[in-house]
Amino acid sequence: HSQGTSMGNEKGVMSILEFQKSCRTWPLYLSAFILFIHNCVIGLSLFYASVTLPYHKEQSHGFMMLTEEQETTYVSLHQMFMLAGSLLGSPLGDKIGRKKVFLLSNVLTILSTEMMHYSSQYFVLLTGRLISGFSIGLGILMPIIFLSEVSTIKARSSLSNTCNLAINFGALAVYLLNMVVPPENLAFSISGLSAVFLALYYFLPESPHWQLRKGLIEEAKANYRYLRGPSYEGLSAELQEVLDVNDKVVSEGVSRWKSRGFLHPMGILAFLFSVIGLCGLDAPVTIYGPKMFAEFGFHIPYQFVVLMIPIGSFIGYIIAVPLLACMKKKNQYNMCALFMALSTTLVGVAYYLKGSEGPTYAAQILLSFGALGLTFGYGVGLGSVIYCLPGELLAPQDKAIGTALAECFRLVWTAGVLKVYPFCLSLVGYPVMFTFHTIILLLSVWFVYSYLPETKDKCLTELQEIFTKKR
């Protein structure tokens, strides 16, 4: 009986794959483009503090002076409000739909950037930044969930990766804009791009997966016909697969908090998202990167040298698109995590040389290549693989809450590290801290090799069988 079931599943899988080879794809890529704009807004908002913190320190271009305590509160509380937005975005997306979450996120982004731009008191500035964090939390995960639900099997990983590519494009854009736009007007680039997204919002379809779970069968059919084409022959097969997976969960009657099919992948995701928060990428390189480069006495303005941070991850995410289509995810992750471990070692050595000899050319070169390698490795493998996994490891009804919980692990660790990093530096210094980041990356290589299942080219039914079958 088990062999017959397996053969039946394989036939169904092949049928969906074959059907999707002949479906139209331009509506899918139009949706990805519209969400690319949304994710660029996320990137601009996320890295806005990184490029403006030096102006707060110098009290230049109209930016108010911040004490060290105000500065650490400014960046760490932002992470916690991102966490709150991520947690609320999950039930909200299940309640009102994926599209309306995008709408709410961008409206709040416009509000927050205007508050920060016109603020003359720390409380108003902090409030605007916290609203910005909340709006980022609402909007940062839903595009990955949405694209995994509307995508074809073959395009699933690559389209999910465009979300992080767009965020990093937004990060690169805010660094470049910082060179050509008066710093006091940087906030308008964020609110302006949000307005562009809102103008295109109408052309974004709702997720058929969400509609099917809400019993909106005809609406889901209409969206599938729009996405795949009016003559798409695999419509019934795709609809039935989603309905079967949903019905199986309902018939089992087991709470997700007791289900192996949810807890097992969540354990994997919790560990891997924690690695992002502890590997040195978010803190200190991304948040404090401009300040770090400013300390090394580069002969050219540090604003130019620090471009290595966003350029590294942006190029990495571009290269990750074809790699995700041809490489096994475990191999891609481990190769890049090892490269990142080498890079964190270089940064640690750079600070050791700076401490013993001052900011020499050797220290500057090691810092530059270390920061570039860390962000490049994240984009090409570690980040691109990790953010594809929630859409593949989790069941349709668990994707929103599971992705939000996974992101929480990253944000909690990042917020904690940001708050205690100055204290840790005063105790042990950068070389020891970057040794710690290197150990975290090496530990993650062992974990992925031992526990991460391969998901390449597996359909919804196969992916669910990975964790639900008895061993």
Side-chain angles (χ1 to χ4, degrees), residues 55 57 76 84 89 96-98 206 235 241 245 304 316 337 380 402 420 428 449 469:
Y55 303 128
K57 184 177 181 179
S76 60
I96 66 175
R98 309 326 192 191
E206 183 54 88
L235 174 63
E241 184 182 45
V245 171
F304 291 91
V380 79
V420 304
V428 297
Y449 178 80
K469 64 183 179 182

Side-chain angles (χ1 to χ4, degrees), residues 155-166:
R156 184 175 57 212
S157 294
S158 296
L159 283 183
S160 294
N161 185 59
T162 62
C163 297
N164 283 316
L165 175 62

Side-chain angles (χ1 to χ4, degrees), residues 63-315:
F63 288 84
M64 68 183 68
M65 173 72 75
L66 299 181
T67 66
E68 183 175 293
E69 178 64 25
Q70 288 174 330
E71 182 181 295
T72 57
T73 301
Y74 183 70
V75 295
S76 60
L77 280 184
H78 178 259
Q79 297 291 320
M80 298 309 296
F81 272 72
M82 279 180 61
L83 171 61
S86 297
L87 287 174
L88 181 61
S90 166
L92 196 61
D94 286 338
K95 179 71 175 178
I96 66 175
R98 309 326 192 191
K99 278 188 66 174
K100 291 179 181 177
V101 172
F102 301 141
L103 176 65
L104 179 60
S105 173
N106 280 272
V107 170
L108 289 177
T109 294
I110 293 174
L111 171 65
S112 66
T113 51
E114 296 307 303
M115 285 184 66
M116 288 186 287
H117 176 74
Y118 291 107
S119 63
S120 58
Q121 297 179 334
Y122 176 68
F123 175 76
V124 178
L125 174 70
L126 180 62
T127 302
R129 187 61 181 160
L130 297 185
I131 294 174
S132 171
F134 184 78
S135 67
I136 291 172
L138 281 179
I140 197 170
L141 298 176
M142 200 57 68
I144 300 173
I145 298 168
F146 174 87
L147 288 174
S148 73
E149 292 177 339
V150 302
S151 177
T152 60
I153 294 172
K154 285 288 186 181
R156 184 175 57 212
S157 294
S158 296
L159 283 183
S160 294
N161 185 59
T162 62
C163 297
N164 283 316
L165 175 62
I167 291 172
N168 281 271
F169 181 79
L172 177 59
V174 78
Y175 278 92
L176 292 173
L177 287 170
N178 186 41
M179 298 178 181
V180 297
V181 174
E184 59 271 23
N185 293 330
L186 278 174
F188 293 129
S189 64
I190 303 173
S191 55
L193 196 58
S194 268
V196 173
F197 171 82
L198 294 176
L200 298 173
Y201 172 80
Y202 172 80
F203 301 99
L204 195 66
E206 183 54 88
S207 164
H209 284 212
W210 177 80
Q211 291 173 322
L212 288 172
R213 289 200 301 279
K214 292 296 182 180
L216 305 173
I217 308 297
E218 293 305 316
E219 290 84 348
K221 287 182 179 179
N223 271 327
Y224 265 129
R225 289 192 183 99
Y226 166 71
L227 289 165
R228 307 283 193 259
S231 60
Y232 176 55
E233 297 180 354
L235 174 63
S236 298
E238 290 205 45
L239 286 170
Q240 194 59 49
E241 184 182 45
V242 178
L243 291 171
D244 287 345
V245 171
N246 290 336
D247 290 343
K248 182 179 179 181
V249 174
V250 173
S251 64
E252 288 176 350
V254 179
S255 167
R256 66 161 58 98
W257 307 109
K258 298 180 180 179
S259 169
R260 186 177 184 276
F262 177 72
L263 296 178
H264 188 167
M266 272 310 306
I268 294 173
L269 294 173
F271 179 88
L272 292 178
F273 275 79
S274 296
V275 168
I276 302 176
L278 293 170
C279 72
L281 179 83
D282 288 342
V285 172
T286 297
I287 303 297
Y288 293 127
K291 290 180 63 178
M292 292 169 63
F293 275 80
E295 295 172 357
F296 269 72
F298 287 91
H299 292 296
I300 60 176
Y302 74 87
Q303 289 93 338
F304 291 91
V305 184
V306 81
L307 280 173
M308 291 185 177
I309 295 175
I311 287 176
S313 54
F314 179 67
I315 294 175

Side-chain angles (χ1 to χ4, degrees), residues 18-25 152 227-229 232 238:
E18 290 298 322
F19 283 137
Q20 289 181 347
K21 288 180 180 179
S22 60
C23 71
R24 75 179 182 188
T25 56
T152 60
L227 289 165
R228 307 283 193 259
Y232 176 55
E238 290 205 45

Side-chain angles (χ1 to χ4, degrees), residues 334-389:
N334 284 337
M335 176 183 69
C336 295
L338 289 172
F339 184 75
M340 290 175 68
L342 173 62
S343 301
T344 52
T345 301
L346 293 180
V347 176
V349 173
Y351 271 97
Y352 175 79
L353 293 176
K354 175 178 176 290
S356 60
E357 304 175 15
T360 62
Y361 285 118
Q364 293 172 348
I365 291 171
L366 289 174
L367 175 69
S368 300
F369 278 97
L372 178 64
L374 181 65
T375 56
F376 175 78
Y378 176 78
V380 79
L382 191 141
S384 58
V385 170
I386 288 177
Y387 275 94
C388 285
L389 293 177

